[in-house]
Amino acid sequence: LAQRDIGSLMGKMKRAGRWEHVVALLRCAEQETGATQIMYNMAISACGKSGDWMESLRLLSVMRARGLAPDDFSYGAALSACANAAQWEESLAILDTAMVNESPPTTLRLGVFTAYCMLHDSLADGPLLEATVSPNAICFNSAIDACARAGRSDEAIELLQRMTAAGVAPNEISYSTAIKACEKAGQSERALALLDEMPARGLEPNVVTYGAALSACEKAGRSARALALLEAMAARGLEPNAISYK
């Protein structure tokens, strides 16, 4: 098969969710025509979406070993794979790598982060340390979500602070996800403090934000504060959903 034909087949298999076939075709290209950056990107993304985050990182390593420089899509797909699997340490390692670069932030392709935001040390010291992509809000939010899924509230809040230090403004998703991290960790005070901090940053809490704060109050038995939050939602014209009443 010609290189273009292999690439076309990889695209079809990726869309069909058949990541094993994507990787098999990549290996075929490596042996016969030479794999391209786009081919590796498809394979890294396909493995990440299938839940095989370690294979995504392995392919990223192979990519660099073969002299192909990963781009924003490559690192974004690897970050997304780790975040979706709640591999918060790997997500932070990738984010740390991106922050080393001093060039202006690039826009990671939104298609990599198909889920609304979503631990293996041996891979963190590999080619990820040589990344050349600067993080943006999507990148930070994905890492915050990985921490939230693992209940790592300290790391999630630290990422909020690092965003500002890096010149990246936290948005509603950043705060909602950090509040979710505090809720999962059983830290209602921190969750509510983050909620109260949003207006000062020019951010307006949404249903998702209030839902996470309400859940934190419910877990802590803070019924009075939960009622106040419901009243605040009503004042903003927000209609609580099933999660808000949980």
Side-chain angles (χ1 to χ4, degrees), residues 5 36 51 59 71 83 91 107 128 130 141 157 177 185 197 216:
D5 294 330
T36 65
L59 289 174
D71 60 4
S91 294
T107 301
L128 296 179
E130 302 175 21
N141 289 346
I157 292 175
T177 312
E197 184 180 311

Side-chain angles (χ1 to χ4, degrees), residues 119-136:
L119 299 149
H120 197 286
D121 296 330
S122 62
L123 296 176
D125 297 324
L128 296 179
L129 295 179
E130 302 175 21
T132 57
V133 179
S134 298
N136 62 6

Side-chain angles (χ1 to χ4, degrees), residues 4 33-34 58 63 78 89 98 107-108 114 117 126-127 146 162 164 185 200 206-207 212 215 228 242:
R4 182 165 56 181
T33 63
R58 188 192 72 79
M63 182 180 184
E89 289 180 332
T107 301
L108 295 173
T114 54
C117 310
R162 288 171 60 185
T164 302
N206 54 32
V207 172
S215 181

Side-chain angles (χ1 to χ4, degrees), residues 157-179:
I157 292 175
E158 180 184 353
L159 282 169
L160 277 177
Q161 298 170 345
R162 288 171 60 185
M163 287 182 77
T164 302
V168 181
N171 55 26
E172 289 82 356
I173 293 176
S174 312
Y175 272 89
S176 296
T177 312
I179 290 171

Side-chain angles (χ1 to χ4, degrees), residues 6 10 20 25 27 30 35 42 61 65 70 93 117 130 138 165 192 204 209-210 225 229 231-232:
I6 295 176
M10 287 180 68
E20 300 96 333
L25 286 166
R27 289 171 179 164
E30 290 173 339
M42 282 194 289
S61 178
C117 310
E130 302 175 21
I138 298 173
L192 294 172
E204 186 171 332
T209 315
Y210 277 113
R225 186 62 195 272
L229 290 177
E231 292 174 348

